[in-house]
Amino acid sequence: MDKLKTFIIILIIFSIGFFSRIETAELKGMNTADRAYFTDENGLPYMYEPDSYYNYRLAANILDHGHQGDKIINGTPWDLHSNYPPGNRADYPPLILWISLLFHNFINLFIPFSLIETCFWLPAIIGPLAGIVMFFMVRRYAGDLPGLLSGVLLVLAPVYFSRTVPGFFDTDMFNIIFPLLVIFFLLKATETKNNYMFPLLLSSFSLAFLSLSWNGWAYIFYIIIISSILYMTLCKLKGKAVMGFSRKIAVFVIISLLIIGLAGRLGYALIFPTFFKFTFKSLSAGGWPGIFESISELSAPTFDEFLSLPGPVNMGIGLFGFVIIGSIMLRDEIKRVHLPDFSWYPFILIGIWLIIGLAAYSLSTRFALLVIPPLIIFLGLLMGVMASYLKGSPSMRLRRSGNVFILSLVVMLSTISFIQAYEIQFVPIVDDDFVAASYWIKNETSMDTVVITEWGYGHPLATFSQRPVLMDGGMNPSTPRSYWVYHAFATNNESLSIGIFSMLSTSGNKAVELLNNRTGNTSLTVTILDDILGVNRIYAEKTLQEKYGIDPGFTGELLSYTHPTNKPFIILTKDDMIKWGHWYLYYGFWDFNKSRGYDYIYSVGSSNDTGQIRYYSNDVKFDLTSGGSWENRKPYTTIIKYRNFKRVIAGDGKSDFSIIVLLDKNQAIVVDKRFQDSLFVKLVILKEETEHIKPIYKNNSTIIWTVR
């Protein structure tokens, strides 16, 4: 009977997690036309974030030729599509790739299924499994109903739900289940006097699997070490023996490090430099701007986000549970009655997990997943204590209604969490226009063509077009390349922009690094390159030797990188790039002497007005006849664009901003007047060809450009 009840609970948790996730594939909240626009030829939505396409491409490489990369270079698989040139080492955590291929081969035994379909659906299967592990974790100390509640709340936790829906093919699906398995088996081993080696081995293997799925695996390892030291210190103070416990922890550490070392993942054990790099985002690195602050998931959460991402129910009751359980731990008699199987070690371990998770999460939304498991464990334990109090109540009515009350709480809290998850809106990272443009590149350009676009589009573009990209999510954001791409878009000197793109697409950062090693001054390096990249080779050679006194030998080597004979690049722009325009201006004219950018004026607003006078969400007021104003101030100019028609209305010659009104998109963009003639404004906002750059392909929202 107990086994049947356990099976039913497992089935409930998995079913709630699975069916609530697959429902998101309907793209509810969109009309029929929009759903079709964001749906691929298999009838599935395009995936939701760039890394999903990167992971899919690496899995496809393994399926095609047995390794992650495009080719083997010096014995190492190398990805020549990402961050080109020179590409990247293909050493991505392999577990997501292996599991996707295993699942792909298994399902194709029964029905034909493409690899992209396999990758799309896999998160909906893996995601709910963490709720089952949570059930067993909480049931161990608090009983079935609290375990059921905890499992359901975990699979519906908003940030975890949103990162494990079909189409979110990333490592997030493993970032809760494996830490939970590590802790569950470790606690089982430490609480078992005999036959503890098997759960210890399972805990170590779970940690090894985590290391194969995520480079940040070591955080749970350090939490275990810190908690164990604190627990042994407490035992010493109380005069309790710790030899048996310390032996188990030592065995766990040795076996774990041995397995992880054999798997080649031990190099990621030192996570602290990476943690500080992501959470304490330096404005610059090596003199170059660090663009981490432009990545939304690396920003600190607002108060509303802090509560909403893990789920207000989980955050509120979980923290309350931590306090209540802590107070019970201090009272031996109450603990013996209501939490008889819960000792100080699991409390310290889960408490440290919660504290470290909260600290990391408060610094960066990227770490929201870390805080969810300990919150829900304490929530489940609190439910168990409440059930125990009701069962021990002197009131017969309360004793009889205890299970009904807890079951009602399970239903109520699960319903609240389900509603929160159901209301999350999902919009794919790409659409039909982008994919059509990518396929055009694949079919109409040479294999050595390099594509330049917004870095967030890099992975899907490389996947669909099968061409190398200059920027993508696999690059280090604090490199010269980031600055130079932003600078090329922000300047109004087209020759300079073309020179920058030519240099980067043929030699990457070689010219920058070569010159920077000579000058030892990043600001001077940028000044010199600004002087030579926009002019021909003869004039550049003269400038280097006469203006900067650089010898002919070094000049020749530098010019071989800055002035290549061929220019095998194209530029892809998309309307959605408009919303990121601020960062092109901010980083494109970085102050290398002060190591900071400037918040130049840039604001995007929308409107549903269709009359003579229109009001936009960014405080722009626009009159079709006389032009616009922003915050009741007149612009330098108002530029009106409707399809191929463009009109310029002069304004206040002393104003420091211009207004660009896109009538066909119902948008108004306010931009610093110094940038109204920038390449970004011309190609992305106005979508007009220039003196040196022309379109070679265009559809509704995506254009491909080349040099004339």
Side-chain angles (χ1 to χ4, degrees):
M1 190 66 179
D2 285 341
K3 289 183 179 179
L4 178 61
K5 182 169 65 173
T6 299
F7 175 77
I8 292 172
I9 290 175
I10 291 172
L11 188 61
I12 290 172
I13 293 171
F14 183 82
S15 297
I16 290 174
F18 178 72
F19 288 109
S20 61
R21 280 165 170 77
I22 65 172
E23 197 173 15
T24 64
E26 298 294 326
L27 292 178
K28 292 187 176 180
M30 291 186 183
N31 58 42
T32 303
D34 286 342
R35 281 200 296 270
Y37 184 58
F38 287 107
T39 301
D40 66 15
E41 68 275 10
N42 297 309
L44 301 176
Y46 296 111
M47 292 199 272
Y48 297 113
E49 47 92 46
D51 286 352
S52 296
Y53 284 103
Y54 179 65
N55 297 334
Y56 161 71
R57 183 165 61 83
L58 296 188
N61 283 345
I62 295 176
L63 188 64
D64 180 65
H65 49 259
H67 61 83
Q68 296 182 17
D70 298 307
K71 64 185 298 187
I72 302 292
I73 299 178
N74 296 325
T76 301
W78 207 261
D79 179 9
L80 295 174
H81 283 77
S82 175
N83 192 36
Y84 185 88
N88 287 327
R89 252 183 99 175
D91 61 348
Y92 196 75
L95 189 66
I96 187 173
L97 312 178
W98 296 344
I99 289 181
S100 64
L101 293 174
L102 285 172
F103 181 59
H104 175 70
N105 291 331
F106 172 75
I107 201 168
N108 272 274
L109 294 175
F110 307 99
I111 56 173
F113 225 56
S114 68
L115 181 60
I116 190 74
E117 290 176 295
T118 301
C119 295
F120 180 88
W121 291 113
L122 186 63
I125 297 172
I126 301 295
L129 298 180
I132 296 172
V133 181
M134 177 62 77
F135 159 70
F136 283 109
M137 170 76 79
V138 173
R139 187 184 74 160
R140 182 176 180 84
Y141 303 109
D144 286 329
L145 282 179
L148 169 62
L149 173 63
S150 300
V152 171
L153 292 183
L154 175 59
V155 299
L156 295 176
V159 67
Y160 182 63
F161 178 86
S162 65
R163 290 177 174 269
T164 52
V165 296
F168 204 103
F169 181 59
D170 207 351
T171 57
D172 301 77
M173 69 180 90
F174 303 117
N175 290 357
I176 287 183
I177 184 172
F178 285 124
L180 275 176
L181 285 170
V182 172
I183 298 302
F184 175 74
F185 288 124
L186 181 66
L187 291 178
K188 192 169 184 178
T190 58
E191 293 165 357
T192 302
K193 291 184 179 179
N194 301 315
N195 302 320
Y196 60 82
M197 276 304 299
F198 184 62
L200 268 185
L201 283 171
L202 290 177
S203 182
S204 294
F205 274 104
S206 297
L207 186 61
F209 279 123
L210 178 61
S211 75
L212 290 167
S213 68
W214 184 40
N215 290 341
W217 63 268
Y219 89 95
I220 198 69
F221 179 74
Y222 290 119
I223 286 172
I224 290 170
I225 299 299
I226 294 169
S227 304
S228 300
I229 292 172
L230 290 176
Y231 174 70
M232 288 187 287
T233 302
L234 178 65
C235 289
K236 285 289 187 182
L237 293 174
K238 289 186 173 184
K240 293 184 177 180
V242 296
M243 185 60 68
F245 174 84
S246 62
R247 185 184 301 114
K248 294 174 183 178
I249 296 299
V251 170
F252 164 78
V253 170
I254 293 170
I255 294 176
S256 297
L257 294 181
L258 179 62
I259 298 173
I260 293 170
L262 291 173
R265 307 299 295 172
L266 202 56
Y268 297 95
L270 297 177
I271 63 170
F272 299 106
T274 302
F275 172 79
F276 284 109
K277 179 175 69 174
F278 280 129
T279 53
F280 300 100
K281 297 169 280 293
S282 174
L283 292 179
S284 64
W288 302 100
I291 64 171
F292 290 106
E293 59 183 319
S294 68
I295 303 173
S296 59
E297 74 166 6
L298 299 183
S299 61
T302 63
F303 180 74
D304 287 343
E305 289 173 335
F306 190 78
L307 293 178
S308 64
L309 291 181
V313 169
N314 301 331
M315 181 64 79
I317 303 180
L319 289 176
F320 182 66
F322 175 51
V323 174
I324 297 301
I325 301 304
S327 68
I328 291 175
M329 296 301 295
L330 295 171
R331 293 176 285 180
D332 290 339
E333 187 59 36
I334 296 177
K335 189 189 86 64
R336 192 159 42 247
V337 174
H338 299 296
L339 280 175
D341 299 319
F342 195 66
S343 65
W344 271 104
Y345 181 59
F347 175 77
I348 293 172
L349 177 57
I350 299 165
I352 292 296
W353 190 357
L354 176 61
I355 292 168
I356 291 178
L358 286 171
Y361 176 38
S362 67
L363 296 170
S364 174
T365 57
R366 180 187 184 94
F367 301 111
L369 289 179
L370 304 189
V371 79
I372 291 174
L375 279 174
I376 293 180
I377 291 172
F378 280 120
L379 183 154
L381 292 175
L382 180 63
M383 293 298 109
V385 170
M386 291 175 61
S388 179
Y389 266 104
L390 290 172
K391 288 178 182 177
S393 171
S395 168
M396 181 67 70
R397 179 177 297 179
L398 286 177
R399 287 201 301 272
R400 289 177 177 174
S401 61
N403 284 340
V404 175
F405 176 74
I406 297 299
L407 183 60
S408 299
L409 277 178
V410 170
V411 173
M412 181 185 70
L413 295 179
S414 300
T415 301
I416 293 172
S417 296
F418 180 81
I419 292 171
Q420 291 169 347
Y422 187 82
E423 291 178 344
I424 299 174
Q425 295 295 313
F426 296 93
V427 179
I429 186 69
V430 297
D431 51 48
D432 283 347
D433 286 344
F434 180 91
V435 174
S438 299
Y439 282 141
W440 186 91
I441 294 171
K442 176 183 177 181
N443 296 324
E444 302 295 333
T445 65
S446 61
M447 293 294 291
D448 63 348
T449 300
V450 181
V451 189
I452 299 168
T453 188
E454 163 68 27
W455 70 268
Y457 294 135
H459 286 324
L461 184 56
T463 298
F464 288 114
S465 71
Q466 297 181 18
R467 297 291 183 271
V469 295
L470 197 65
M471 292 177 66
D472 56 41
M475 60 180 288
N476 184 346
S478 299
T479 62
R481 179 174 305 203
S482 304
Y483 163 75
W484 285 108
V485 171
Y486 283 120
H487 186 51
F489 274 104
T491 184
N492 57 11
N493 182 340
E494 284 184 47
S495 297
L496 175 59
S497 300
I498 293 169
I500 292 171
F501 291 148
S502 299
M503 173 187 71
L504 293 178
S505 61
T506 54
S507 61
N509 297 334
K510 287 183 178 179
V512 183
E513 293 167 353
L514 178 69
L515 187 56
N516 214 34
N517 286 336
R518 182 182 179 98
T519 64
N521 184 320
T522 304
S523 180
L524 178 57
T525 295
V526 171
T527 300
I528 294 173
L529 290 175
D530 265 339
D531 276 351
I532 66 171
L533 285 172
V535 298
N536 62 40
R537 185 184 180 104
I538 295 173
Y539 193 82
E541 182 178 18
K542 182 179 179 181
T543 300
L544 289 171
Q545 294 180 7
E546 294 183 1
K547 183 175 180 179
Y548 295 104
I550 297 177
D551 60 271
F554 186 88
T555 296
E557 183 181 5
L558 181 63
L559 292 178
S560 69
Y561 297 139
T562 59
H563 289 70
T565 55
N566 60 333
K567 300 180 177 64
F569 71 86
I570 55 177
I571 304 166
L572 183 145
T573 61
K574 188 166 171 30
D575 289 354
D576 284 347
M577 289 172 62
I578 291 174
K579 63 188 177 187
W580 296 308
H582 163 75
W583 299 110
Y584 284 85
L585 307 186
Y586 181 79
Y587 292 118
F589 282 93
W590 186 261
D591 189 326
F592 287 90
N593 294 315
K594 297 180 180 178
S595 293
R596 67 185 179 106
Y598 295 95
D599 286 316
Y600 295 104
I601 296 171
Y602 190 85
S603 175
V604 181
S606 59
S607 173
N608 292 320
D609 294 343
T610 57
Q612 173 74 21
I613 298 177
R614 307 180 184 189
Y615 296 88
Y616 293 82
S617 58
N618 58 342
D619 291 326
V620 168
K621 177 183 177 182
F622 171 65
D623 188 303
L624 284 169
T625 303
S626 59
S629 63
W630 179 55
E631 297 178 343
N632 296 319
R633 291 185 292 152
K634 280 287 184 182
Y636 176 70
T637 58
T638 300
I639 302 173
I640 306 168
K641 185 73 185 293
Y642 180 70
R643 296 180 180 173
N644 294 324
F645 168 80
K646 175 181 170 183
R647 178 185 171 203
V648 180
I649 301 175
D652 182 355
K654 296 181 180 180
S655 181
D656 59 350
F657 67 91
S658 293
I659 296 175
I660 303 172
V661 179
L662 305 178
L663 293 179
D664 54 341
K665 297 187 69 65
N666 299 318
Q667 285 183 319
I669 299 99
V670 183
V671 62
D672 192 297
K673 74 175 183 181
R674 287 169 287 188
F675 301 111
Q676 75 172 44
D677 294 321
S678 66
L679 190 67
F680 183 86
V681 168
K682 290 177 180 177
L683 300 190
V684 178
I685 299 178
L686 297 177
K687 301 201 289 190
E688 60 185 16
E689 58 184 284
T690 68
E691 181 182 356
H692 302 290
I693 299 174
K694 65 177 182 179
I696 52 175
Y697 171 90
K698 65 170 61 177
N699 56 39
N700 182 55
S701 67
T702 307
I703 303 178
I704 301 169
W705 310 84
T706 191
V707 177
R708 295 181 186 275

